[in-house]
Amino acid sequence: TSKPKLMEGATPELSFQSKRPPDTALMGVVLCATEMQVRQTWNPEPTGDIKAGDVICRTVSREAKGTTAMMLPPVVAAAPDGIRVYTKTGEVRDEIERGESRALRTDTIKYQMQQPGSFALPELAFVWWDPVEEKLLRKTVPGLTVGVVQAGDSATLPDNVRSASAPSIWAIAIVGPLVLVLLI
């Protein structure tokens, strides 16, 4: 509770040597983690042809132990020509429970289909160094092949949608004479 006093002192020198793990020279930053889980979801789940203009959202979640979330790099968002890619800044979170650290990162990629055709959205690979096992590990989540049809192509719509969107002969037969009566 007294006023601060100026002090000088020296601490012992601290030195260390840092070296890259083997087979990582071309990797840039090496993620070091003892364990990693990777999950992805697609929304909507594309089960058939989709229309040009539609958007598919891909969410990739990673959970790593023994590192911090800031070390988990963003997902590389790439797509073939004919698809526009939109990314959202990843959500990162660190958790520590009983001395165990856990890093969480969720990335969202939106793919907008711009034209008809068949397109292969790429698989994603995640590589890290496990210091306990002393080896480079890799997890891959699969890509997706989507068929895109021209927007408004009624031949590709289900029968119930096509019949609901086409004017009914009965509606024309009933409304037509009413319009004529109102005009007279």
Side-chain angles (χ1 to χ4, degrees), residues 58 75-80 83 85 87 109 111 120-122 124:
R58 182 184 207 176
V75 170
V76 176
I83 297 179
V85 178
T87 58
I109 305 167
Y111 301 98
L121 300 176
L124 300 173

Side-chain angles (χ1 to χ4, degrees), residues 46-118:
T47 54
D49 285 344
I50 59 173
K51 293 180 285 204
D54 286 353
V55 174
I56 297 174
C57 182
R58 182 184 207 176
T59 304
V60 179
S61 301
R62 288 172 283 167
E63 179 182 325
K65 291 186 179 177
T67 191
T68 61
M70 71 180 204
M71 294 302 296
L72 296 171
V75 170
V76 176
D81 289 340
I83 297 179
R84 179 169 263 165
V85 178
Y86 299 94
T87 58
K88 179 181 172 185
T89 302
E91 297 175 24
V92 293
R93 189 172 82 233
D94 288 310
E95 295 179 354
I96 299 176
E97 185 176 327
R98 297 183 182 182
E100 291 278 325
S101 65
R102 193 167 66 138
L104 302 132
R105 181 177 181 114
T106 301
D107 290 287
T108 302
I109 305 167
K110 292 186 178 183
Y111 301 98
Q112 182 184 32
M113 309 305 153
Q114 295 186 299
Q115 63 192 36
S118 180

Side-chain angles (χ1 to χ4, degrees), residues 153-183:
D153 186 355
S154 65
T156 61
L157 296 174
D159 288 338
N160 63 340
V161 174
R162 195 176 320 123
S163 63
S165 62
S168 168
I169 191 73
W170 292 105
I172 293 171
I174 295 170
V175 175
L178 288 175
V179 170
L180 287 174
V181 169
L182 290 174
L183 291 175

